[in-house]
Amino acid sequence: MADDAYIVGIFEHPTRLATDLSVPQLHAEAAFGALADAGLSMSDVDAYYCGGDATGLGPLPMATYLNMKLRHFDSTDVGGSTYLAHVSHARDAIRSGRCDVALITCGGRPRASKAAVVPVSSPDMAEPDAQFEVPYNTNVVAFYAMAAARHMHEFGTTSEQLAWIKVAASQHAQHNPHAMLPKPVTVDDVLSSPVVASPLHRLDCCVVSDGGAAVVMARSEIARSLKRPLVKVAGAAEAIFHFGAGEPHIITTATSVSGPRAFAEARRTPADIKYTSVYDSFTITALLQIEDLGFCKKGQGGPFVADGNLISGRGALPFNTDGGGLCNNHMANRGGITKIIEAVRQVRGEAHPAVQVKNCDVVLANGIGAIVGTRHAAATLILERQ
Amino acid sequence: MLSSKRPSPIPSPQTVEFWKASAERKFMVPRCRACNRSHWYPRPFCPHCYSQDVALEKASGRGKVYSFTVLTKDKSIVAYVKLDEGPIMLTSIVDTDPEKIGIGSEVTVTFQPTEDGTLVPLFRGA
Ligand SMILES: [Zn+2]
């Protein structure tokens, strides 16, 4: 019988400005933190997962730096959702007996290195589509702005409704001592912040932060031997949407494929989810996923998120109770791993008491990597407290 | 001013013909002779049916705005335009008052030089 896989350790580095920490050291400190959280040590790790934020060739430099003895690895890189995909892949590897303990790390220092501006495409001009994108001088926020504009056009969504997503995140961030933007904001604050790319305002955008984070997974027998709440990966799925032949998906994300598959595997429905982490590079990113996960009908995301419906203790769908990428942390311009971490805190009952969801036994974490509209990868995880 | 700041495309051997035509202010869209469908961006095979019987055809140069955004930093307009031939293309809208266009507005192709003088197809209000 296939073994189950459990998330046994998590750690989010408290720094948001890593002036004196190298990228490998951010990964290392996050790894030590997550292993300590699990009650394991580096010598227990036999599988390692990292994305393009790790320096050098795939997992090799970090494997060397941490002197890990590995029999399994994966350096799938799809941008911000990479780490959710890693959990999915590690789950499969643990189930099939390829490894016992998997370590996933993320980290980077775009603030300290003043490389905060995310290039729209990889500078590798050999990419087949780059020559048909770079002459148009676009950037990441422009693509999400076009998603927001189209969503508004088709469904009547308003800037005020989008602003509620930031308001909810800020209500949560005030309880997080490490959040970059801990001050609650109002809908008016969002709407009066400067427009960056119409219709998106500066406060519709996530923070740029340095940081490190790690997740440790283990097979059932090991997980049960540790003195931590048992958090099972009950459902996991990924999907990629892209421009294809000239049919960009700008208001529907690949979550519309990964979400239902994860729900089916976990034998759950959206009504079972007590807490959800959704990727919030921009307010519109979160709104699209909430629809695509089935928390509301496509097009109804605007009314759904308004009036505090995402605020823990107040609304029907508590989300991103750490403050999310919008207010807390979007380390290395990649917000995926913190989505896993806050979902684990919630399902363990270890979130901040002011935002902890009651009876939080089933949670969801979703990520969107790269850019909705050109090409992106979604990954959905459903986690259950055993 | 904006046009001189546009990064230049680097053609691949498979797209030289497209960029040559563009240099002569001809906007070409590939069409598959097996399934008769157009696609964007140009590839030497059909991404619908995978036939290699694909040819560039001079396009109508007309389309409708599918979505767009005005970037505050330089007032430039980035857009997706649905070409009359079918595909939706990432592009820019130039020489057009942002207040005078919306989703669904008709646009027509025009050309502007990039940093190295390469002419790229983009659109303006019809
Ligand atoms: Zn064809």
Side-chain angles (χ1 to χ4, degrees), chain B residues 32-37 46-51 54:
Chain B
C32 171
R33 288 171 174 149
C35 73
N36 203 37
R37 297 174 72 182
C46 171
H48 298 292
C49 76
Y50 301 101
S51 163
V54 166

Side-chain angles (χ1 to χ4, degrees), chain A residues 125 128-129 131-138 142-143 145-146 149-150 153 195-198 243-248 250 373-374, chain B residues 6-11 15 19 39-43 47-48 66-67 69-72 78-80 87-92 103 121:
Chain A
M125 290 293 285
D129 20 22
Q131 60 187 297
F132 300 102
E133 292 178 17
V134 295
Y136 302 114
N137 260 334
T138 182
F143 285 104
M146 288 195 286
R150 183 77 199 181
H153 174 79
V195 171
V196 179
S198 63
F243 197 92
E247 299 130 345
I250 74 169
T374 58
Chain B
R6 290 186 186 283
S8 301
I10 301 177
T15 60
W19 290 112
H39 63 267
W40 186 260
Y41 53 92
R43 272 158 268 193
H48 298 292
Y66 181 74
S67 194
T69 181
V70 183
L71 302 186
T72 301
V78 178
Y80 281 116
I88 295 172
M89 174 187 176
L90 177 69
T91 188
S92 300
I103 291 175

Side-chain angles (χ1 to χ4, degrees), chain A:
Chain A
M1 197 185 85
D3 200 1
D4 279 322
Y6 294 81
I7 295 181
V8 295
I10 52 169
F11 185 74
E12 180 183 8
H13 202 293
T15 191
R16 301 290 180 269
L17 178 61
T19 310
D20 299 320
L21 289 168
S22 66
V23 171
Q25 187 61 16
L26 285 164
H27 283 253
E29 291 185 9
F32 298 142
L35 286 165
D37 179 54
L40 291 165
S41 69
M42 196 64 76
S43 58
D44 296 311
V45 173
D46 63 352
Y48 177 61
Y49 297 71
C50 64
D53 51 293
T55 44
L57 184 61
L60 293 173
M62 284 309 301
T64 313
Y65 190 56
L66 292 172
N67 194 22
M68 290 186 277
K69 293 174 179 58
L70 304 176
R71 57 191 183 117
H72 195 69
F73 54 83
D74 180 354
S75 54
T76 294
D77 187 22
V78 287
S81 60
T82 293
Y83 319 92
L84 295 105
H86 287 167
V87 169
S88 174
H89 299 174
R91 188 271 311 258
D92 292 345
I94 288 168
R95 275 184 168 178
S96 60
R98 288 177 178 274
C99 59
D100 294 329
V101 175
L103 168 68
I104 302 164
T105 65
C106 174
R109 50 199 299 281
R111 280 183 85 199
S113 65
K114 303 207 187 326
V117 177
V118 190
V120 64
S121 344
S122 148
D124 181 2
M125 290 293 285
E127 279 184 28
D129 20 22
Q131 60 187 297
F132 300 102
E133 292 178 17
V134 295
Y136 302 114
N137 260 334
T138 182
N139 58 28
V140 175
V141 63
F143 285 104
Y144 286 92
M146 288 195 286
R150 183 77 199 181
H151 202 278
M152 290 173 172
H153 174 79
E154 288 203 20
F155 304 118
T157 309
T158 65
S159 290
E160 185 177 17
Q161 290 166 341
L162 288 178
W164 270 107
I165 298 171
K166 182 75 160 199
V167 170
S170 78
Q171 283 293 322
H172 299 147
Q174 67 178 316
H175 303 293
N176 182 346
H178 306 299
M180 270 193 74
L181 302 178
K183 195 170 156 250
V185 298
T186 64
V187 167
D188 282 346
D189 290 336
V190 178
L191 299 185
S192 60
S193 68
V195 171
V196 179
S198 63
L200 295 183
H201 302 77
R202 175 167 293 163
L203 291 185
D204 284 301
C205 306
C206 67
V207 300
V208 173
S209 56
D210 298 350
V215 170
V216 179
M217 296 173 62
R219 65 183 168 85
S220 174
E221 188 187 350
I222 295 169
R224 286 171 199 281
S225 75
L226 302 170
K227 291 174 179 52
R228 303 296 281 130
L230 268 181
V231 178
K232 181 179 156 182
V233 181
E238 307 106 72
I240 288 176
F241 274 11
H242 48 67
F243 197 92
E247 299 130 345
H249 301 268
I250 74 169
I251 52 172
T252 304
T253 73
T255 305
S256 61
V257 175
S258 64
R261 290 185 61 216
F263 277 118
E265 186 184 26
R267 298 169 194 264
R268 295 289 184 179
T269 69
D272 296 320
I273 303 298
K274 307 287 174 47
Y275 162 86
T276 188
S277 290
V278 289
Y279 204 84
D280 54 349
S281 48
F282 302 95
T283 51
I284 182 67
T285 325
L287 181 132
L288 297 178
Q289 291 160 83
I290 286 166
E291 292 177 345
D292 294 341
L293 287 164
F295 290 115
C296 64
K297 281 194 184 133
K298 193 74 207 169
Q300 291 304 303
F304 183 83
V305 302
D307 303 323
N309 204 33
L310 303 178
I311 299 173
S312 184
R314 177 173 161 189
L317 185 68
F319 101 124
N320 297 8
T321 41
D322 58 340
L326 287 168
C327 296
N328 170 35
N329 194 5
H330 197 73
M331 73 185 78
N333 301 318
R334 290 160 176 257
I337 199 161
T338 46
K339 300 298 168 289
I340 305 165
I341 287 173
E342 185 64 6
V344 171
R345 290 188 191 115
Q346 280 285 355
V347 79
R348 281 177 170 180
E350 295 178 354
H352 189 283
V355 297
Q356 176 66 50
V357 176
K358 290 193 182 75
N359 306 316
C360 193
D361 55 345
V362 187
V363 299
L364 184 148
N366 200 71
I368 297 285
I371 298 175
V372 168
T374 58
R375 55 203 81 80
H376 70 272
T380 308
L381 303 176
I382 294 172
L383 310 177
E384 293 190 17
R385 172 88 173 256
Q386 298 280 287

Side-chain angles (χ1 to χ4, degrees), chain B residues 38-88:
Chain B
S38 297
H39 63 267
W40 186 260
Y41 53 92
R43 272 158 268 193
F45 54 87
C46 171
H48 298 292
C49 76
Y50 301 101
S51 163
Q52 294 182 30
D53 191 6
V54 166
L56 290 174
E57 292 180 358
K58 188 158 186 298
S60 66
R62 289 190 299 269
K64 289 193 175 76
V65 176
Y66 181 74
S67 194
F68 76 105
T69 181
V70 183
L71 302 186
T72 301
K73 60 172 182 170
D74 59 8
K75 306 291 170 214
S76 65
I77 305 173
V78 178
Y80 281 116
V81 165
K82 183 164 174 57
L83 305 174
D84 278 7
E85 287 74 16
I88 295 172

